[in-house]
Amino acid sequence: VINYISHDKAAISLKKKLESLGTRAIIIKADIGNETEVKNLVNSTVKEFGSIDVLVNNAGIVFDIPFKEKPTEKWKRTLDVNLNGTYYCTKYFLPYINKDGSIINISSSNGIYSFHPDSIDYDVSKAGVIMFTKAMARDLAPDIRINTIAPGWFDTDINAKLPKDYVN
């Protein structure tokens, strides 16, 4: 299942690539920061596949705005997508994850080391993903593995405006 919110052409391209490799794939547009849309994503997934082996919580947004100028709605949106979205997807997909399945949460090195106050909402949300994963690992073991990956800055849309020497 390829979930997207704004890059439909990329989702279609990925679906075609997966199908060319012999993998069945579907595309579902859903805002994972919206609990109702996550429930619909889960229902569509289960209707198509029945159960899942791996859940990857990979959504992330950032609004690099100085803290003193950051609108509250940007702070809330960042937490809704980055942290609450991880919670929603885990909560609602969990009943359908096969025994010995896996959950992979994508955090960030910013969740470990805060680099700049312009991204404090992002940093807090990704730190929350790390702690969420640690707590859930105890609860889900030994049937379901849950881990966090905390990469540095990669060449993605979210980092497009960063200086090239920042990006790995």
Side-chain angles (χ1 to χ4, degrees), residues 145-163:
R145 292 176 312 281
I146 181 169
N147 291 287
T148 300
I149 299 170
W153 298 332
F154 282 85
D155 188 13
T156 62
D157 290 349
I158 201 170
N159 295 323
K161 295 180 183 177
L162 290 175

Side-chain angles (χ1 to χ4, degrees), residues 21-60:
L21 298 170
T23 301
R24 192 167 117 227
I26 62 171
I27 300 170
I28 302 172
K29 182 176 183 176
D31 174 358
I32 65 125
N34 179 305
E35 188 173 14
T36 300
E37 290 192 29
V38 171
K39 289 178 181 179
N40 292 335
L41 170 66
V42 171
N43 290 336
S44 296
T45 300
V46 171
K47 183 179 178 182
E48 184 71 25
F49 293 101
S51 64
I52 63 170
D53 295 314
V54 180
L55 169 64
V56 179
N57 289 309
N58 189 40

Side-chain angles (χ1 to χ4, degrees), residues 107-115 123 126-127 130 150:
S107 179
S108 170
S109 58
N110 283 47
I112 301 167
Y113 308 103
S114 185
F115 294 99
D123 301 352
K126 292 302 185 174
I130 293 169

Side-chain angles (χ1 to χ4, degrees), residues 27-158:
I27 300 170
I28 302 172
K29 182 176 183 176
D31 174 358
I32 65 125
N34 179 305
E35 188 173 14
T36 300
E37 290 192 29
V38 171
K39 289 178 181 179
N40 292 335
L41 170 66
V42 171
N43 290 336
S44 296
T45 300
V46 171
K47 183 179 178 182
E48 184 71 25
F49 293 101
S51 64
I52 63 170
D53 295 314
V54 180
L55 169 64
V56 179
N57 289 309
N58 189 40
I61 61 169
V62 66
F63 302 102
D64 286 328
I65 300 169
F67 178 74
K68 292 177 182 177
E69 300 168 21
K70 190 175 299 273
T72 300
E73 67 270 4
K74 297 291 187 191
W75 173 276
K76 288 180 178 181
R77 180 69 179 147
T78 301
L79 291 172
D80 279 344
V81 171
N82 298 357
L83 182 57
N84 295 337
T86 298
Y87 162 77
Y88 297 146
C89 287
T90 302
K91 178 179 179 171
Y92 294 114
F93 272 109
L94 190 59
Y96 305 102
I97 297 176
N98 294 319
K99 186 174 179 178
D100 295 326
S102 296
I103 301 171
I104 303 166
N105 294 327
I106 308 300
S107 179
S108 170
S109 58
N110 283 47
I112 301 167
Y113 308 103
S114 185
F115 294 99
H116 200 279
D118 288 3
S119 64
I120 192 169
D121 48 347
Y122 178 84
D123 301 352
V124 166
S125 69
K126 292 302 185 174
V129 168
I130 293 169
M131 189 52 63
F132 175 79
T133 304
K134 287 180 179 183
M136 290 303 298
R138 286 188 176 96
D139 187 47
L140 299 176
D143 296 326
I144 297 172
R145 292 176 312 281
I146 181 169
N147 291 287
T148 300
I149 299 170
W153 298 332
F154 282 85
D155 188 13
T156 62
D157 290 349
I158 201 170

